[in-house]
């Protein structure tokens, strides 16, 4: 085995003169001769000793140069270190302005001179210093300017955990970053920061560094230093701060915009304050009793916000940008921000909420309300009202409820049902709405409907539209909680991450959501399953008019199949389906404008919601109390949130064209309950024998009969595979007995006895007995211009021919029971010129039948002539041109009492009625096709009723919609 990195080589005397091997480590005999074995440094490890001997002068020169460079760098970076007794010079702050979407309405001007007052460390209460140290730098008196362990913990470990890096900066580094260096994020700036931190620690004492820190650190807006911050937020000097106030100020520097007392995260600010107090106890700065008193202390902030429009939206935009660019640039960079806000809609939203909120407070003890409106086409936020009054401290008005987690009640049900539709359930699917003790690991769970009633077997359309709770819990079980949460994640909900918290109650609003995200999820349904991120900014310019950001319509991500989203929209826009609970006249309609909507109310009336959308705008409304106290009984979403929602939706859609939702198309499963049969099992039988029909059973003897059964859906459906076979042992499902028990009781109360369908098949009819029929005349494609039709045919059957029937379209025109079967028959008294089907059927004594069919053209001068004028046959029509006029020409309109129009898609079993018209004296008969259908090919045809009540089917045309 050769030794790695060793090379065998023969050496002659001349070889020693030509090269000098680095080292001979042995000799090896090969075929009687000896070879020196050398270590080759190019293929193995370096010989550091020889290398140093050879290059040591160069290495010393490099080291000296590096040291001199480092000393020079230290000297250069140290030349402008701050004087602890003076304030650092700063650039003059420039006003940043936030506008509405037109750029004409100024929403907020972040302006003002920097408020800075020098104060000695001895004038700052010790607990104010300790609160800051407890939060920002507990080892301040131990490190030399920076903490390696802190950086590892704050940057590397946080990143490895998949979380946002937290910096790990010491107070000294924070002082340098805010007082000397810029907020630039680069490796060079970080190196400068570390060097300067070291230099400052060498030049100044710890107390001098603290004094500089408390005079230079930004506390938000234009307040620099603790003295300015104390005056800015509390209207007092720093030396007058209480322990609770000092802990609040200590919480601010980490993220001044986010933790602003006038922003939307007041709860987060006080959470950080309490954490500071707990850390002070742990470090021995204060006693637990002092911490408890400080936590209980009522903190009153000085009112600072003036001249602001849409304050919750303004602070929302400010926080978004501060997180991305930093507080200093946003507040003092002289930026121009064009937001997505529609000024007029925002004003109307605030007015509507203020008016309705007063009524809600009087009638239902509901003190607050919030609203979000989103442009469906772009995802832009058009209006955001975070509370009924931003300046009302009695309702915590500064808290933006639009981005605060609240329980959504039944307004979350559409998410569950959408996941159910994706799994194979359809609006026709039936479940029993009966009080049920659901099995859970924690014990029985027994939900009740809002109206306290049971409704027996109901369709999913009725269950969702009527917001029934018991069917909803059954659907989340059948769908699977994980499937629902997967869909919620895809829709953009960020508050449902801990799945261990959720069970059946999730469908009733047991998981908190944000109004903004909830509304955006409904906007995704309005886009037929295409998700877009919500946006608040159209354009962002810096003080040099450089465009930093400009809105581009984001790429829509398909998170729901369009066919599934259409089903949900169809149910939510079905006012008839919800009327059995809400009545036909309710706040979830917009007159003749199609709209999808859903309400929600939490248990004990803590939160009330209404969300909905047209194809253009999605709007969500929340009503409740900021402190989560309960409203009066009866304060449900349909009573206190829906009036706000309806008024705003009417205003927002007033100048928009009416658009409808695309009607869904889907197959209805044939399985009991899954396909809508709640009364029992449907089977096809032979009427003459009562047995199961077979392919040999004559069609006219086949009857679909329902055998009464009273079972819930689990009797027929495996929840893991709802479209699969009926379970052989449905009782294996853990919920089966719990669901069946109330159904059995209900069936007994309604005198329903389960009937078993037949199992034997029809044995009377055989394919070999079928008659044989051949139509000789007329032939397919013949033209008939006489008053009679002459038939010639041949017919035979093993059991003999009992009768032959003759049809003109669907109308029987003759019947013969004995030969000869060749006969002539008069046409109907009034017929339509054009194509018609002629059908002949031959029967034997058992009903076995064969038939022949041809298509002929009737062309008689005295017959009714009907022709299409609009649209033309085989034309392609853009859906944007709807409503579409349909026009036919009738040569004798006086003979017609009514004309109905129908459309049908290829492959569909039945046609869809469009409209009807009673003809006048004009030859043209027109109707409007107003509801926009989905893209595809369609067949159109009229059905005319003459003055004698005779039905006449007119000519068909095909069109293509794109």
């Amino acid at each position: 085995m050769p030794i790695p990195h060793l090379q065998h080589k023969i050496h002659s005397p001349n070889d020693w003169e030509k090269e000098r091997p680095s080292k001979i480590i042995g000799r090896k005999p090969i075929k009687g001769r000896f070879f020196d074995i050398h270590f080759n440094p190019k293929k193995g490890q370096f010989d550091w000793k020889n290398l140093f001997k050879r290059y040591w002068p160069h290495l010393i020169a490099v080291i000296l140069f590096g040291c001199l460079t480092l000393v020079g760098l230290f000297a250069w970076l140290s030349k402008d270190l701050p004087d602890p007794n003076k304030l650092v010079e700063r650039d003059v702050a420039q006003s940043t302005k936030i506008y509405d979407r037109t750029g004409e309405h100024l929403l907020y001007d972040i302006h003002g001179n920097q408020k800075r007052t020098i104060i000695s460390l001895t004038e700052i209460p010790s607990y104010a210093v300790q609160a800051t140290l407890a939060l920002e730098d507990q080892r301040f008196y131990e490190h030399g300017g920076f903490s390696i362990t802190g950086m590892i913990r704050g940057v590397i470990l946080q990143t490895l955990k998949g979380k946002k890096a937290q910096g790990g900066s010491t107070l000294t580094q924070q002082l340098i970053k805010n007082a000397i260096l810029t907020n630039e994020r680069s490796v060079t700036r970080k190196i400068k920061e570390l060097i300067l931190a070291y230099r400052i620690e060498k030049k100044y004492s710890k107390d001098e560094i603290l004094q500089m820190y408390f005079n230079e650190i930004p506390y938000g807006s234009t307040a620099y230093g603790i003295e300015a911050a104390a005056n800015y937020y509390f209207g007092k000097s720093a030396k007058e701060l209480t322990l609770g106030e000092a802990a609040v100020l200590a919480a601010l520097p980490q993220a001044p915009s986010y933790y602003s007392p006038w922003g939307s995260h007041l709860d987060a600010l006080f959470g950080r304050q309490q954490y500071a107090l707990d850390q002070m106890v742990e470090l021995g700065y204060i006693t637990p009793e002092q911490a408890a008193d400080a936590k209980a202390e009522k903190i009153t902030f000085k009112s600072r916000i003036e001249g602001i429009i849409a304050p919750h939206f303004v602070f929302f935009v400010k926080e978004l940008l501060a997180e991305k660019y930093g507080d200093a640039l946003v507040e003092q960079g002289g930026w121009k921000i064009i937001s997505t806000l529609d000024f007029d809609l925002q004003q109307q939203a605030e007015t509507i909420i203020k008016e309705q909120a007063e009524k809600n407070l009087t009638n239902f003890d509901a003190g607050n309300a919030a609203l979000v409106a989103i442009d469906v086409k772009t995802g832009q936020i058009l209006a955001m009202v975070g509370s009924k009054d931003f300046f009302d401290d009695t309702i915590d008005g500064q808290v933006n409820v639009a981005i605060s987690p609240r329980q959504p009640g039944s307004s979350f049900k559409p998410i569950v049902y959408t996941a159910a539709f994706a799994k194979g359930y359809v609006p026709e699917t039936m479940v029993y709405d009966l009080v049920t003790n659901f099995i859970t690991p924690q014990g029985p769970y027994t939900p009740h409907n809002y109206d306290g009633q049971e409704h027996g077997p109901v369709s999913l359309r009725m269950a969702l539209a009527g917001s029934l709770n018991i069917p909803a819990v059954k659907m989340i079980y059948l769908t699977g909680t994980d499937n629902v949460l997967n869909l919620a994640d895809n829709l953009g909900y960020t508050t449902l991450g801990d799945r261990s918290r959720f069970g059946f109650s999730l469908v009733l609003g047991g998981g908190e959501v944000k109004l903004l995200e909830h509304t955006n999820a409904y906007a995704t349904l309005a886009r037929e399953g295409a998700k877009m991120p919500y946006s608040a900014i159209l354009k962002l310019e810096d003080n040099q008019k450089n465009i930093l950001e400009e809105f581009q319509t984001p790429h829509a991500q398909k998170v729901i199949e369009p066919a599934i989203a259409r089903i949900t929209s169809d149910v939510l826009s079905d006012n008839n389906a919800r009327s059995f609970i809400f009545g036909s006249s309710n706040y979830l309609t917009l007159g003749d404008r199609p709209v999808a909507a859903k309400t929600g109310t939490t248990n004990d009336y803590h939160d009330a919601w209404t969300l909905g959308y047209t194809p253009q705008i999605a709007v969500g409304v929340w009503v409740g109390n900021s402190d989560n106290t309960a409203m009066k009984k009866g304060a449900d979403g349909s009573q206190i949130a829906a009036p706000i929602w309806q008024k705003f939706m009417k205003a927002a859609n007033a100048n928009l064209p009416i658009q409808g939702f695309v009607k869904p198309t889907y197959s209805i499963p044939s399985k009991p309950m899954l396909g809508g049969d709640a009364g029992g099992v449907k089977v096809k039988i032979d009427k003459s024998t009562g047995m199961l029909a077979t392919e040999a059973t004559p069609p006219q003897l086949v009857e679909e009969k329902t055998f009464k059964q009273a079972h819930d859906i689990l009797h027929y459906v495996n929840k893991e595979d709802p479209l699969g076979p009926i379970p052989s042992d449905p009782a294996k499902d853990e919920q089966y007995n719990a669901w069946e028990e109330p159904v059995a009781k209900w069936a007994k109360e309604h005198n329903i006895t389960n009937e078993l369908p037949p199992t034997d098949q029809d044995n009377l009819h055989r394919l070999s007995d079928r008659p044989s029929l051949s139509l000789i005349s007329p032939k397919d494609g013949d033209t008939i211009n006489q008053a009679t039709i002459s038939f010639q045919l041949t017919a035979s059957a093993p059991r003999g021919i009992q009768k032959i029937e003759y049809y003109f379209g669907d109308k029987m025109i003759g019947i013969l029971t004995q030969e000869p079967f060749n006969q002539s028959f008069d046409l109907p008294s009034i017929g339509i010129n054009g194509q018609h089907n002629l059908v002949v059927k031959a029967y034997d004594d058992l009903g076995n039948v064969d038939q022949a069919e041809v298509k002929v053209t009737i062309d008689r001068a005295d017959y009714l002539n009907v022709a299409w004028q609009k649209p033309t046959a085989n034309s392609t029509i853009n859906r944007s041109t709807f409503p579409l006029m349909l026009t036919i020409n009738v040569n004798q309109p006086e003979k017609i009492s009514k004309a109905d129009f129908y459309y049908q898609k290829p492959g569909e079993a039945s046609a869809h009625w469009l409209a009807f018209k009673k003809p006048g004296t004009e030859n043209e008969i027109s109707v409007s096709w107003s509801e926009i259908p989905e893209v595809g090919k369609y067949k159109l045809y009229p059905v005319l009723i003459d003055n004698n009540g005779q039905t006449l089917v007119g000519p068909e045309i095909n069109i293509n919609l794109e």
Side-chain angles (χ1 to χ4, degrees), residues 554-588:
H555 172 71
Q557 175 191 2
K558 184 175 75 172
V559 295
I560 307 171
E561 289 296 329
I564 301 302
R566 290 170 189 166
I567 295 175
T568 303
S569 295
D570 185 61
V571 174
L572 295 181
S573 60
D574 189 344
N575 194 52
N576 291 330
R578 71 168 70 95
S579 60
F580 77 105
I581 294 293
F582 296 96
S584 58
S585 179
N586 54 67
Y587 290 110
L588 303 181

Side-chain angles (χ1 to χ4, degrees), residues 316-599:
F316 175 72
V317 171
K318 184 170 174 285
E319 288 169 17
L320 287 178
L321 293 175
E323 184 177 349
K324 190 172 183 179
Y325 297 100
D327 287 274
L329 280 176
V330 174
E331 294 185 339
Q332 303 170 32
W335 288 358
K336 181 179 181 181
I337 304 165
I338 305 297
S339 73
T340 61
L341 194 80
D342 185 305
F343 181 82
D344 293 331
L345 287 183
Q346 178 72 19
Q347 295 295 304
Q348 292 186 67
E350 292 179 2
T351 299
I352 292 169
I353 281 183
K354 185 175 181 180
E355 292 174 351
Q356 188 63 35
E358 295 303 319
K359 298 177 183 178
N360 289 340
L361 181 61
T362 302
N363 299 328
F364 295 100
D365 289 341
N368 205 355
L371 179 148
V372 168
I374 293 177
D375 184 341
V376 169
K377 302 298 182 184
T378 63
Q380 295 172 6
I381 300 172
L382 301 177
M384 177 185 285
V385 182
S387 71
K388 75 174 183 180
D389 187 350
F390 180 86
F391 300 99
D392 187 349
D393 291 333
T394 64
I395 62 167
D396 294 328
Q398 290 81 23
V399 175
N400 188 352
V401 182
I403 56 175
S404 303
R406 306 286 301 208
Q407 289 196 344
S410 293
S411 67
F412 193 73
K413 286 176 182 174
I415 311 304
V416 175
Y417 279 83
T418 300
F421 296 145
K423 198 170 182 180
Y425 300 95
V426 294
E428 289 76 12
T429 296
M430 304 291 290
V431 292
Y432 276 89
D433 177 35
L434 302 170
V435 175
T436 303
N437 295 318
F438 293 89
I439 307 300
T440 74
Q442 295 76 32
Y445 173 61
T446 311
H448 296 271
N449 291 324
Y450 171 76
D451 62 0
Q453 303 296 315
E454 298 176 315
H455 302 88
V458 296
S459 68
L460 296 192
R461 179 179 293 273
M462 291 180 62
L464 174 56
S467 199
L468 301 179
N469 289 341
I470 300 169
V473 175
K474 291 185 176 181
M475 290 317 300
I476 196 171
Y477 175 73
L478 293 171
T479 306
T481 304
D482 276 341
N483 289 329
V484 173
L485 289 171
N486 289 341
L487 176 58
D489 288 345
N490 291 337
L491 287 169
Y493 291 95
T494 61
T495 53
L496 303 174
D498 183 6
R499 299 193 173 196
S500 63
R501 297 192 297 126
F502 304 120
F504 291 156
S505 62
L506 176 65
V507 71
L508 306 182
E512 297 82 3
V513 302
K514 298 178 181 179
L515 176 60
L516 177 59
E517 295 176 352
H518 204 22
T519 305
N520 202 41
Y522 273 65
T524 300
L525 291 172
R527 293 186 207 100
E528 299 190 338
K531 173 191 170 186
M532 284 184 182
Y534 52 77
S535 302
I537 298 168
L538 290 181
K539 186 191 290 187
L540 175 62
E541 293 181 359
D542 66 12
N543 59 1
Q544 300 298 317
K545 297 191 180 299
N546 297 313
I547 298 177
L548 304 180
E549 291 184 17
E550 191 163 19
F551 179 81
Q552 300 290 333
T553 301
H555 172 71
Q557 175 191 2
K558 184 175 75 172
V559 295
I560 307 171
E561 289 296 329
I564 301 302
R566 290 170 189 166
I567 295 175
T568 303
S569 295
D570 185 61
V571 174
L572 295 181
S573 60
D574 189 344
N575 194 52
N576 291 330
R578 71 168 70 95
S579 60
F580 77 105
I581 294 293
F582 296 96
S584 58
S585 179
N586 54 67
Y587 290 110
L588 303 181
T589 60
L590 299 178
D592 59 349
R593 183 183 295 272
V595 62
K598 183 72 186 73
T599 63

Side-chain angles (χ1 to χ4, degrees), residues 916-935:
F916 79 93
K917 185 71 174 290
K918 292 184 177 181
T921 57
E922 299 293 329
N923 294 98
E924 290 187 353
I925 302 176
S926 298
V927 297
S928 175
W929 188 358
S930 58
E931 190 172 80
I932 305 176
E934 64 182 359
V935 171

